[in-house]
Amino acid sequence: MGCVSSKDQPHQQFNIKLPDSINQTTLQTDLDLSDSQDQYLQIGMNISSLGELHPKVQQVHQELGDLFQNLQGQYMLMPDQSIFYGQTLNGKRNGQGKQHWQKEGNFLEGTWTDNQLNGRARMIYPNGDYFDGNFVNNVANGIGKFVNSRKEVRGFWLNNKLIGEGTEIRKNGTTYVGQFQDGKIHGQGKFEFANGCVYKGSVYKGKMHGNGELIFNDNTRYVGEFRNNCIQGSGIYEANIPIQGWFHSKYEHQTMFLYFFRQETPVLIDNQDCALIQKQLSTFFD
């Protein structure tokens, strides 16, 4: 069956991932006392910088600016060999600070309480992606924003996943405003496409799916059933004269072919008796 999009691509939302080692704290047991002492000796000694940032991280950081102005504190070498600079208490990260994983390239600015991220934080990744949002005990919880080369996503994160109402702005000109579930576009929402078309209705795993309304850029519209970004099922096409029946769509060479049947048909066969509506449209999805 033909579809609005020529590619069936999943649209997954961002799940914030911090290095596992961010959960490590300074060693506290008697057995590890010597290691702990060695670490304390490295606080403010032999470390005078966070190290050179990855070029893309440096570029994004310069564009965004420091998350915290006039930051003062101490340098601390962490057990995973990342470098922390900021406020400390009893050898732990407490207060505002920065942390750089030189090997992986990640760069983090945030607020800590007893070595746990609590409050606003921003992680920049070596590919230039970044997440800026609120954390509770090292987990993204609260208002946040994720940005990469393809899109910007804003909304509310619960346990590292976007949920509830949010906005996704894609670099190809498509904007989505509506519901998310488990980090994916899911529920009820509205797509505004760069080609001037607008979809309102049910969305499932990032796609137009269920009952909805697609308003074309020539002010005609289809109201009815959608399946996996296809117009498929019972509906009404409204132009000069409304047409009601069963519809199927396919998309080829920047043209949507909309097939209309007066009686329900499970599959689209070339020799079936049907009406054909063609619309010149640029691609809907990436």
Side-chain angles (χ1 to χ4, degrees):
M1 192 64 60
C3 297
V4 172
S5 173
S6 59
K7 297 181 180 180
D8 186 16
Q9 297 180 343
H11 291 277
Q12 297 183 350
Q13 294 304 320
F14 176 75
N15 293 334
I16 178 74
K17 293 183 182 296
L18 298 178
D20 293 337
S21 56
I22 198 171
N23 294 316
Q24 297 184 17
T25 62
T26 52
L27 304 175
Q28 299 295 321
T29 66
D30 292 339
L31 293 176
D32 295 324
L33 182 59
S34 60
D35 292 336
S36 181
Q37 287 175 332
D38 289 341
Q39 182 171 317
Y40 285 132
L41 289 175
Q42 295 181 85
I43 300 177
M45 299 179 61
N46 302 324
I47 308 173
S48 58
S49 76
L50 290 170
E52 185 175 353
L53 299 180
H54 187 281
K56 288 188 177 180
V57 173
Q58 180 67 34
Q59 179 182 350
V60 172
H61 184 256
Q62 288 179 344
E63 292 173 355
L64 298 176
D66 289 325
L67 188 60
F68 305 114
Q69 301 293 325
N70 303 317
L71 179 65
Q72 295 183 350
Q74 293 178 304
Y75 287 99
M76 184 162 63
L77 184 63
M78 304 304 294
D80 61 357
Q81 300 304 303
S82 63
I83 300 174
F84 172 84
Y85 174 76
Q87 299 168 340
T88 64
L89 179 64
N90 297 327
K92 294 183 179 182
R93 294 162 293 182
N94 273 281
Q96 297 175 351
K98 305 177 182 181
Q99 192 163 348
H100 182 210
W101 287 262
Q102 296 183 84
K103 182 179 179 180
E104 295 85 354
N106 295 8
F107 178 68
L108 174 66
E109 298 172 274
T111 303
W112 281 263
T113 303
D114 288 335
N115 269 337
Q116 300 284 305
L117 275 177
N118 280 282
R120 186 182 177 188
R122 183 174 69 199
M123 175 75 89
I124 306 176
Y125 296 86
N127 62 0
D129 299 353
Y130 73 90
F131 176 79
D132 187 339
N134 190 72
F135 283 75
V136 177
N137 296 331
N138 279 348
V139 179
N141 276 285
I143 299 298
K145 176 175 71 172
F146 170 70
V147 178
N148 66 16
S149 61
R150 295 179 57 249
K151 61 190 175 183
E152 175 180 323
V153 185
R154 305 171 184 169
F156 186 88
W157 266 259
L158 178 64
N159 296 330
N160 280 348
K161 293 185 178 181
L162 188 61
I163 191 168
E165 297 294 326
T167 300
E168 180 174 301
I169 303 171
R170 300 175 187 169
K171 296 297 176 66
N172 68 354
T174 297
T175 299
Y176 171 80
V177 178
Q179 296 176 327
F180 290 78
Q181 181 177 311
D182 292 331
K184 298 180 177 66
I185 291 174
H186 189 88
Q188 295 290 317
K190 176 181 178 182
F191 281 108
E192 293 185 6
F193 301 102
N195 57 26
C197 298
V198 176
Y199 172 81
K200 305 175 184 177
S202 178
V203 288
Y204 178 78
K205 294 184 178 180
K207 297 180 179 181
M208 301 181 292
H209 189 93
N211 291 315
E213 173 186 7
L214 181 59
I215 304 171
F216 296 99
N217 54 13
D218 59 2
N219 291 323
T220 61
R221 68 174 183 163
Y222 167 82
V223 181
E225 294 178 299
F226 292 77
R227 294 290 183 272
N228 296 319
N229 281 340
C230 300
I231 292 175
Q232 183 177 332
S234 175
I236 300 174
Y237 175 75
E238 298 182 354
N240 294 329
I241 300 175
I243 302 173
Q244 184 170 0
W246 284 265
F247 295 83
H248 295 271
S249 69
K250 69 177 182 179
Y251 185 86
E252 293 179 350
H253 308 299
Q254 297 195 359
T255 302
M256 175 186 279
F257 299 90
L258 182 59
Y259 296 88
F260 164 67
F261 302 85
R262 296 194 180 278
Q263 60 183 4
E264 186 174 5
T265 177
V267 294
L268 179 61
I269 302 175
D270 291 339
N271 61 5
Q272 284 180 321
D273 182 21
C274 64
L276 174 62
I277 302 166
Q278 295 187 39
K279 294 183 180 295
Q280 299 296 317
L281 297 168
S282 57
T283 305
F284 277 86
F285 289 98
D286 296 338

PDB file of all heavy atoms in Angstrom, residues 151-167:
ATOM      1  N   LYS A 151      16.549  18.100  14.832  1.00  0.00           N
ATOM      2  CA  LYS A 151      15.346  18.609  15.487  1.00  0.00           C
ATOM      3  C   LYS A 151      15.661  19.179  16.862  1.00  0.00           C
ATOM      4  O   LYS A 151      16.743  18.977  17.422  1.00  0.00           O
ATOM      5  CB  LYS A 151      14.307  17.492  15.628  1.00  0.00           C
ATOM      6  CG  LYS A 151      14.791  16.318  16.482  1.00  0.00           C
ATOM      7  CD  LYS A 151      13.828  15.149  16.396  1.00  0.00           C
ATOM      8  CE  LYS A 151      14.360  13.943  17.151  1.00  0.00           C
ATOM      9  NZ  LYS A 151      13.478  12.772  17.021  1.00  0.00           N
ATOM     10  N   GLU A 152      14.665  19.883  17.381  1.00  0.00           N
ATOM     11  CA  GLU A 152      14.675  20.372  18.762  1.00  0.00           C
ATOM     12  C   GLU A 152      13.383  19.905  19.416  1.00  0.00           C
ATOM     13  O   GLU A 152      12.299  20.076  18.861  1.00  0.00           O
ATOM     14  CB  GLU A 152      14.761  21.891  18.796  1.00  0.00           C
ATOM     15  CG  GLU A 152      14.645  22.496  20.183  1.00  0.00           C
ATOM     16  CD  GLU A 152      14.747  24.012  20.175  1.00  0.00           C
ATOM     17  OE1 GLU A 152      15.532  24.551  19.370  1.00  0.00           O
ATOM     18  OE2 GLU A 152      14.024  24.662  20.960  1.00  0.00           O
ATOM     19  N   VAL A 153      13.508  19.298  20.590  1.00  0.00           N
ATOM     20  CA  VAL A 153      12.343  18.753  21.289  1.00  0.00           C
ATOM     21  C   VAL A 153      12.255  19.403  22.664  1.00  0.00           C
ATOM     22  O   VAL A 153      13.234  19.419  23.415  1.00  0.00           O
ATOM     23  CB  VAL A 153      12.448  17.225  21.450  1.00  0.00           C
ATOM     24  CG1 VAL A 153      11.169  16.684  22.078  1.00  0.00           C
ATOM     25  CG2 VAL A 153      12.700  16.562  20.109  1.00  0.00           C
ATOM     26  N   ARG A 154      11.079  19.919  22.995  1.00  0.00           N
ATOM     27  CA  ARG A 154      10.856  20.558  24.287  1.00  0.00           C
ATOM     28  C   ARG A 154       9.664  19.906  24.978  1.00  0.00           C
ATOM     29  O   ARG A 154       8.690  19.539  24.322  1.00  0.00           O
ATOM     30  CB  ARG A 154      10.554  22.058  24.112  1.00  0.00           C
ATOM     31  CG  ARG A 154      11.595  22.841  23.341  1.00  0.00           C
ATOM     32  CD  ARG A 154      11.080  24.233  23.058  1.00  0.00           C
ATOM     33  NE  ARG A 154      11.994  25.021  22.237  1.00  0.00           N
ATOM     34  CZ  ARG A 154      11.684  26.182  21.689  1.00  0.00           C
ATOM     35  NH1 ARG A 154      10.465  26.687  21.862  1.00  0.00           N
ATOM     36  NH2 ARG A 154      12.573  26.820  20.956  1.00  0.00           N
ATOM     37  N   GLY A 155       9.755  19.796  26.280  1.00  0.00           N
ATOM     38  CA  GLY A 155       8.635  19.232  27.001  1.00  0.00           C
ATOM     39  C   GLY A 155       9.001  18.844  28.416  1.00  0.00           C
ATOM     40  O   GLY A 155       9.940  19.388  29.004  1.00  0.00           O
ATOM     41  N   PHE A 156       8.261  17.878  28.946  1.00  0.00           N
ATOM     42  CA  PHE A 156       8.438  17.443  30.333  1.00  0.00           C
ATOM     43  C   PHE A 156       8.969  16.021  30.344  1.00  0.00           C
ATOM     44  O   PHE A 156       8.377  15.120  29.752  1.00  0.00           O
ATOM     45  CB  PHE A 156       7.099  17.505  31.079  1.00  0.00           C
ATOM     46  CG  PHE A 156       7.211  17.215  32.553  1.00  0.00           C
ATOM     47  CD1 PHE A 156       7.487  18.230  33.458  1.00  0.00           C
ATOM     48  CD2 PHE A 156       7.054  15.917  33.026  1.00  0.00           C
ATOM     49  CE1 PHE A 156       7.604  17.962  34.810  1.00  0.00           C
ATOM     50  CE2 PHE A 156       7.166  15.638  34.382  1.00  0.00           C
ATOM     51  CZ  PHE A 156       7.448  16.667  35.272  1.00  0.00           C
ATOM     52  N   TRP A 157      10.094  15.843  31.018  1.00  0.00           N
ATOM     53  CA  TRP A 157      10.707  14.526  31.124  1.00  0.00           C
ATOM     54  C   TRP A 157      10.350  13.890  32.468  1.00  0.00           C
ATOM     55  O   TRP A 157      10.366  14.547  33.504  1.00  0.00           O
ATOM     56  CB  TRP A 157      12.219  14.634  31.026  1.00  0.00           C
ATOM     57  CG  TRP A 157      12.756  14.449  29.637  1.00  0.00           C
ATOM     58  CD1 TRP A 157      13.326  13.319  29.122  1.00  0.00           C
ATOM     59  CD2 TRP A 157      12.779  15.401  28.572  1.00  0.00           C
ATOM     60  NE1 TRP A 157      13.698  13.517  27.818  1.00  0.00           N
ATOM     61  CE2 TRP A 157      13.376  14.784  27.450  1.00  0.00           C
ATOM     62  CE3 TRP A 157      12.335  16.729  28.453  1.00  0.00           C
ATOM     63  CZ2 TRP A 157      13.550  15.430  26.241  1.00  0.00           C
ATOM     64  CZ3 TRP A 157      12.497  17.382  27.254  1.00  0.00           C
ATOM     65  CH2 TRP A 157      13.104  16.737  26.162  1.00  0.00           C
ATOM     66  N   LEU A 158      10.031  12.601  32.425  1.00  0.00           N
ATOM     67  CA  LEU A 158       9.783  11.827  33.633  1.00  0.00           C
ATOM     68  C   LEU A 158      10.657  10.582  33.559  1.00  0.00           C
ATOM     69  O   LEU A 158      10.504   9.763  32.654  1.00  0.00           O
ATOM     70  CB  LEU A 158       8.311  11.439  33.741  1.00  0.00           C
ATOM     71  CG  LEU A 158       7.922  10.578  34.946  1.00  0.00           C
ATOM     72  CD1 LEU A 158       8.151  11.345  36.250  1.00  0.00           C
ATOM     73  CD2 LEU A 158       6.465  10.125  34.849  1.00  0.00           C
ATOM     74  N   ASN A 159      11.602  10.476  34.512  1.00  0.00           N
ATOM     75  CA  ASN A 159      12.524   9.332  34.538  1.00  0.00           C
ATOM     76  C   ASN A 159      13.186   9.116  33.177  1.00  0.00           C
ATOM     77  O   ASN A 159      13.172   8.023  32.607  1.00  0.00           O
ATOM     78  CB  ASN A 159      11.801   8.068  34.994  1.00  0.00           C
ATOM     79  CG  ASN A 159      11.291   8.181  36.415  1.00  0.00           C
ATOM     80  OD1 ASN A 159      11.871   8.885  37.240  1.00  0.00           O
ATOM     81  ND2 ASN A 159      10.189   7.513  36.706  1.00  0.00           N
ATOM     82  N   ASN A 160      13.758  10.200  32.651  1.00  0.00           N
ATOM     83  CA  ASN A 160      14.562  10.178  31.424  1.00  0.00           C
ATOM     84  C   ASN A 160      13.757  10.094  30.134  1.00  0.00           C
ATOM     85  O   ASN A 160      14.351  10.000  29.055  1.00  0.00           O
ATOM     86  CB  ASN A 160      15.581   9.033  31.430  1.00  0.00           C
ATOM     87  CG  ASN A 160      16.820   9.362  32.240  1.00  0.00           C
ATOM     88  OD1 ASN A 160      17.033  10.503  32.621  1.00  0.00           O
ATOM     89  ND2 ASN A 160      17.628   8.359  32.512  1.00  0.00           N
ATOM     90  N   LYS A 161      12.420  10.122  30.190  1.00  0.00           N
ATOM     91  CA  LYS A 161      11.628  10.021  28.975  1.00  0.00           C
ATOM     92  C   LYS A 161      10.629  11.169  28.879  1.00  0.00           C
ATOM     93  O   LYS A 161      10.003  11.537  29.860  1.00  0.00           O
ATOM     94  CB  LYS A 161      10.892   8.678  28.921  1.00  0.00           C
ATOM     95  CG  LYS A 161      11.824   7.487  28.760  1.00  0.00           C
ATOM     96  CD  LYS A 161      11.061   6.195  28.591  1.00  0.00           C
ATOM     97  CE  LYS A 161      11.995   5.016  28.387  1.00  0.00           C
ATOM     98  NZ  LYS A 161      11.258   3.735  28.204  1.00  0.00           N
ATOM     99  N   LEU A 162      10.488  11.688  27.666  1.00  0.00           N
ATOM    100  CA  LEU A 162       9.542  12.766  27.416  1.00  0.00           C
ATOM    101  C   LEU A 162       8.120  12.221  27.504  1.00  0.00           C
ATOM    102  O   LEU A 162       7.800  11.175  26.932  1.00  0.00           O
ATOM    103  CB  LEU A 162       9.792  13.343  26.025  1.00  0.00           C
ATOM    104  CG  LEU A 162       9.032  14.605  25.625  1.00  0.00           C
ATOM    105  CD1 LEU A 162       9.381  15.756  26.557  1.00  0.00           C
ATOM    106  CD2 LEU A 162       9.364  14.980  24.191  1.00  0.00           C
ATOM    107  N   ILE A 163       7.246  12.946  28.216  1.00  0.00           N
ATOM    108  CA  ILE A 163       5.881  12.476  28.419  1.00  0.00           C
ATOM    109  C   ILE A 163       4.938  13.675  28.511  1.00  0.00           C
ATOM    110  O   ILE A 163       5.345  14.764  28.915  1.00  0.00           O
ATOM    111  CB  ILE A 163       5.785  11.608  29.697  1.00  0.00           C
ATOM    112  CG1 ILE A 163       4.427  10.893  29.782  1.00  0.00           C
ATOM    113  CG2 ILE A 163       6.034  12.426  30.943  1.00  0.00           C
ATOM    114  CD1 ILE A 163       4.370   9.822  30.842  1.00  0.00           C
ATOM    115  N   GLY A 164       3.689  13.469  28.090  1.00  0.00           N
ATOM    116  CA  GLY A 164       2.709  14.558  28.167  1.00  0.00           C
ATOM    117  C   GLY A 164       2.843  15.509  26.989  1.00  0.00           C
ATOM    118  O   GLY A 164       3.259  15.122  25.898  1.00  0.00           O
ATOM    119  N   GLU A 165       2.482  16.758  27.196  1.00  0.00           N
ATOM    120  CA  GLU A 165       2.497  17.745  26.126  1.00  0.00           C
ATOM    121  C   GLU A 165       3.924  18.200  25.814  1.00  0.00           C
ATOM    122  O   GLU A 165       4.729  18.418  26.719  1.00  0.00           O
ATOM    123  CB  GLU A 165       1.653  18.963  26.510  1.00  0.00           C
ATOM    124  CG  GLU A 165       0.177  18.673  26.721  1.00  0.00           C
ATOM    125  CD  GLU A 165      -0.522  18.255  25.439  1.00  0.00           C
ATOM    126  OE1 GLU A 165      -0.153  18.770  24.358  1.00  0.00           O
ATOM    127  OE2 GLU A 165      -1.429  17.411  25.512  1.00  0.00           O
ATOM    128  N   GLY A 166       4.211  18.319  24.522  1.00  0.00           N
ATOM    129  CA  GLY A 166       5.539  18.764  24.117  1.00  0.00           C
ATOM    130  C   GLY A 166       5.533  19.310  22.703  1.00  0.00           C
ATOM    131  O   GLY A 166       4.503  19.314  22.013  1.00  0.00           O
ATOM    132  N   THR A 167       6.709  19.754  22.273  1.00  0.00           N
ATOM    133  CA  THR A 167       6.870  20.339  20.938  1.00  0.00           C
ATOM    134  C   THR A 167       8.120  19.766  20.290  1.00  0.00           C
ATOM    135  O   THR A 167       9.160  19.647  20.931  1.00  0.00           O
ATOM    136  CB  THR A 167       7.000  21.869  21.019  1.00  0.00           C
ATOM    137  OG1 THR A 167       5.827  22.413  21.612  1.00  0.00           O
ATOM    138  CG2 THR A 167       7.187  22.479  19.635  1.00  0.00           C
TER     139      THR A 167
END
